[in-house]
Amino acid sequence: MNGQPPMDQNIKPGTFDPGQLDVERIRREFPILHRPLPKGLPLVFLDSAASAQKPHSVIDREREVYENFYANAYRGVYQFGARVDEELEGTRARVQQLIGAEEPDEVIFTSGTTMSINLVATAWGRRFLKTGDEILLNPMEHHANLVPWQRVAGDCGAACRYLPLTADGRLDLSRWDEYFSPRTRMVAVTGMSNVLGTINPIREIAQRAHAGGAVLLLDGAQSIPHSPTNVREWNVDFLAFSGHKIYGPSGVGVLYGRRDLLEAMDPFLGGGHMIDRVTLEGSTWAQPPAKFEAGTLPIAQAIALGTAIDFVQGIGFDAIERHEQLLLRYAHAELSKIRGLRIHGPSPEHKGGIVSFTIQDAHPEDLAQLMDRRGVFVRHGHHCTMPLHEWLGVSATVRASFGIYNTPAEVDSLVSAIQFARQKLRLPE
Amino acid sequence: MSLSESMNIEQLIQEFEDLGDWDDQCDYLIDLGRELPKLPDHAKTEEHRVRGCQSNVWLVSEVKAGSPPRLEFIANSDAIIVNGLIAVVTILYSGRTPQEILEIDPRQVFARLGLERHLSSQRRNGLFGMVERIRHLANEAAANSTAK
């Protein structure tokens, strides 16, 4: 992580310099943040880890496609068809540059992280996993990075193994050798836990996986919007992420795959555009990325994803990381003062802008619903990580997650909404 | 006797109308939830768990012998606002005959209370999960009483 700010328990809103990030200017780009809620309350949106809000440029871009040059992709030679192809390739090139891929053809458009991981689990897994092989996972993974592996393991006679976590919710790499075996073929790991906020040392994990001959898949759904990613420098073999968490449209996502792996894998979905030649006797496949892009793509969404990437890169990850770290540290400091509140996960230096917590004698569902009445939007539940919650020993947590548009004053609103909920639930002062 | 045991559904609908505002209605649900009769821990089994609820909900019924029999329901959740909704459901259904239970149109009642408008679809699913269980238990009780 770049530019670690000093730890300061006494940060107050307005008293620190959020780096080069002018949060008020950024907020002006997001129309939804300026619509007051019923009763005139301002919106305090703290659920960007589930899905981020969209800037004007992304919204306008999607509309522009439909209003000016919409057509299906990779089909028509007419002007709109050619324009759509060109715009999609523009996004592909932006993604390539964002993640440091060798070439744009290693970037596949999908519907999102879930589809990307399912694609690898199916198209790579069924091809290469044999009876007795192992997949190394861990308890902090999102269901999207657990269930597809459990399914393919079941089908192929392979086994899922789970690297344990340290007491504070980080991967316990000291126990790697107990769980990584000569039969481990795949290591699938998140860049950042969607509950604990833990940032995992991907470069080191990739090195360990490759040293043992395994392939590494990085679930970048949470990490991509908040910090730089470089698949070549980190030696990541597969990377999955979603457009909607990086301020882009929903319905579009990305799978990056190393070219040789993409070539060796089977296709995932069969259909239009993914073929080389089809006869009634059988078919042959197109080269990647077309091989994995059967059917009509989310066209306008994929084009606007390129705009979202421009938006984020225009701000710069240095400024984003610095801003979100300051929010995180301020939130940790303030939330820790609340009676009965427990933050789950490591200390801020090991995590991104996510604070998941429980409060003694209060159900997360009640807390989230009461906080909503103060205009503070947080998520509650198991956040698609039931094994992690089992490990935490709680059935649910409340999660506040930060994006580039959040402010220290919103952390204060979070705190007062929690106090409001505590009071409504008649918890002791 | 708790708030929910001393009230019928028309009185509850009147109370909701008087409160008018969802915030106040929500506070009232919290009050109802806090006073809900407690289900003993040994009854909180998988068999009694209601599917479709985000938080855990356990529901048991007791058949009061008679002709026809009447059903009492006790349910608990680990979330207080859900306990408030459970109170609404028990006010609506407890002490009724199977026939009466099956004739109730819960959608209409929840609409009059404004719950349809204020609850998320997940909460509504949970609410109807409870209704479904109650109707199932009423069907069972009706079948048992005709079999005798």
Side-chain angles (χ1 to χ4, degrees):
Chain A
M1 192 164 299
N2 301 317
Q4 283 283 341
M7 188 67 173
D8 182 355
Q9 296 293 320
N10 299 311
I11 302 166
K12 285 282 173 272
T15 62
F16 68 84
D17 165 26
Q20 298 88 23
L21 191 143
D22 178 350
V23 69
E24 286 311 320
R25 193 175 65 82
I26 287 171
R27 289 179 68 82
R28 284 198 290 277
E29 300 296 324
F30 289 81
I32 206 166
L33 301 180
H34 308 287
R35 310 251 183 280
L37 300 169
K39 297 189 177 180
L41 281 171
L43 167 66
V44 178
F45 188 77
L46 298 177
D47 198 21
S48 297
S51 200
Q53 299 299 344
K54 318 304 172 200
H56 273 299
S57 59
V58 169
I59 299 166
D60 292 347
R61 184 70 160 147
E62 229 182 302
R63 188 186 301 112
E64 187 201 351
V65 176
Y66 289 125
E67 289 183 351
N68 295 326
F69 58 88
Y70 181 78
N72 209 330
Y74 309 120
R75 275 32 174 204
V77 294
Y78 51 83
Q79 291 163 52
F80 288 0
R83 172 77 188 275
V84 160
D85 296 356
E86 188 187 315
E87 297 283 357
L88 283 172
E89 290 315 303
T91 295
R92 217 185 285 279
R94 283 175 175 83
V95 173
Q96 176 208 355
Q97 188 266 328
L98 175 76
I99 65 173
E102 181 99 32
E103 46 182 304
D105 287 353
E106 292 172 319
V107 173
I108 295 154
F109 292 123
T110 64
S111 65
T113 306
T114 298
M115 178 177 163
S116 297
I117 298 173
N118 274 276
L119 193 165
V120 178
T122 306
W124 177 89
R126 281 176 192 276
R127 180 67 184 268
F128 294 109
L129 289 174
K130 303 276 182 291
T131 304
D133 282 348
E134 291 174 6
I135 301 158
L136 185 59
L137 305 164
N138 70 82
M140 78 166 75
E141 295 304 319
H142 188 283
H143 294 168
N145 199 25
L146 288 177
V147 180
W149 298 115
Q150 290 173 340
R151 292 186 68 198
V152 73
D155 291 346
C156 298
C160 293
R161 302 196 69 190
Y162 302 93
L163 184 69
L165 307 183
T166 60
D168 67 345
R170 291 181 287 148
L171 294 176
D172 190 352
L173 292 174
S174 71
R175 302 187 63 185
W176 178 271
D177 293 340
E178 292 170 54
Y179 291 87
F180 187 94
S181 85
R183 296 304 304 267
T184 307
R185 296 279 174 266
M186 166 63 74
V187 177
V189 63
T190 183
M192 172 173 158
S193 159
N194 69 316
V195 174
L196 307 171
T198 312
I199 291 172
N200 290 321
I202 298 305
R203 200 191 290 254
E204 182 186 349
I205 295 167
Q207 202 174 7
R208 286 171 181 260
H210 292 145
V215 164
L216 181 99
L217 177 137
L218 170 60
D219 171 357
Q222 293 297 335
S223 55
I224 277 273
H226 306 293
S227 54
T229 303
N230 194 308
V231 291
R232 254 185 308 173
E233 275 181 23
W234 299 356
N235 277 309
V236 167
D237 301 305
F238 291 109
L239 163 71
F241 71 94
S242 298
H244 68 98
K245 292 196 210 289
I246 186 167
Y247 313 99
S250 60
V252 65
V254 164
L255 172 68
Y256 156 84
R258 227 176 58 211
R259 188 174 186 96
D260 59 311
L261 289 168
L262 294 177
E263 282 175 357
M265 280 155 67
D266 288 330
F268 178 46
L269 300 175
H273 188 59
M274 52 75 72
I275 48 84
D276 173 36
R277 191 170 169 76
V278 179
T279 66
L280 295 179
E281 285 70 45
S283 311
T284 55
W285 318 134
Q287 287 299 304
K291 178 179 173 184
F292 301 101
E293 291 182 346
T296 293
L297 290 174
I299 295 163
Q301 291 78 4
I303 293 172
L305 171 60
T307 311
I309 292 170
D310 288 346
F311 176 79
V312 167
Q313 292 196 317
I315 297 164
F317 281 114
D318 276 358
I320 291 171
E321 277 191 307
R322 190 172 150 78
H323 176 69
E324 291 175 356
Q325 269 293 315
L326 284 163
L327 288 173
L328 177 67
R329 279 156 198 257
Y330 182 49
H332 259 248
E334 292 301 301
L335 263 61
S336 302
K337 296 174 189 164
I338 296 174
R339 185 165 168 181
L341 187 146
R342 181 172 157 221
I343 296 174
H344 299 278
S347 55
E349 64 266 30
H350 299 298
K351 64 187 253 185
I354 285 177
V355 186
S356 293
F357 60 90
T358 46
I359 292 178
Q360 200 181 351
D361 298 325
H363 195 280
E365 189 173 334
D366 289 327
L367 290 169
Q369 184 157 10
L370 289 163
M371 289 165 73
D372 168 64
R373 278 169 58 183
R374 310 301 297 186
V376 175
F377 291 11
V378 291
R379 169 103 180 259
H380 77 279
H382 54 62
H383 317 290
C384 303
T385 57
M386 288 173 90
L388 177 64
H389 279 74
E390 179 92 41
W391 180 82
L392 289 170
V394 295
S395 64
T397 49
V398 178
R399 179 183 72 188
S401 55
F402 302 114
I404 45 179
Y405 35 61
N406 290 120
T407 66
E410 289 181 312
V411 174
D412 294 338
S413 300
L414 168 67
V415 170
S416 58
I418 295 170
Q419 298 293 18
F420 169 79
R422 288 185 83 261
Q423 184 202 334
K424 287 288 173 192
L425 296 170
R426 319 250 173 95
L427 296 179
E429 287 296 312
Chain B
M1 189 177 268
S2 76
L3 215 47
S4 58
E5 288 169 300
S6 63
M7 192 178 243
N8 68 36
I9 193 69
E10 288 304 323
Q11 287 168 322
L12 181 70
I13 290 170
Q14 187 61 53
E15 184 68 41
F16 263 61
E17 271 175 24
D18 292 346
L19 291 167
D21 179 52
W22 168 242
D23 285 1
D24 294 332
Q25 292 166 347
C26 183
D27 287 349
Y28 189 69
L29 283 175
I30 292 173
D31 290 339
L32 285 173
R34 294 174 67 84
E35 295 195 10
L36 195 68
K38 294 283 171 285
L39 197 62
D41 280 346
H42 64 77
K44 294 178 176 174
T45 60
E46 196 54 33
E47 183 200 346
H48 293 144
R49 205 163 68 83
V50 179
R51 295 182 78 92
C53 298
Q54 267 201 323
S55 51
N56 286 317
V57 173
W58 300 271
L59 184 144
V60 298
S61 66
E62 197 183 318
V63 181
K64 301 268 187 207
S67 183
R70 291 179 183 275
L71 273 75
E72 297 285 342
F73 300 100
I74 304 181
N76 273 190
S77 165
D78 37 18
I80 288 186
I81 299 172
V82 174
N83 277 333
L85 295 170
I86 289 172
V88 172
V89 170
T90 51
I91 289 169
L92 180 59
Y93 285 107
S94 258
R96 293 185 188 267
T97 66
Q99 182 68 28
E100 287 170 344
I101 286 170
L102 295 170
E103 280 169 4
I104 288 172
D105 175 5
R107 276 175 205 282
Q108 199 203 355
V109 176
F110 297 151
R112 284 177 73 198
L113 288 163
L115 294 177
E116 292 273 1
R117 212 169 44 247
H118 292 297
L119 296 180
S120 66
S121 62
Q122 297 155 343
R123 275 275 165 86
R124 276 202 298 273
N125 287 344
L127 204 54
F128 284 105
M130 280 190 262
V131 168
E132 218 171 280
R133 175 66 64 91
I134 285 171
R135 290 174 63 91
H136 173 77
L137 293 166
N139 271 316
E140 259 184 13
N144 285 340
S145 73
T146 45
K148 276 172 194 165

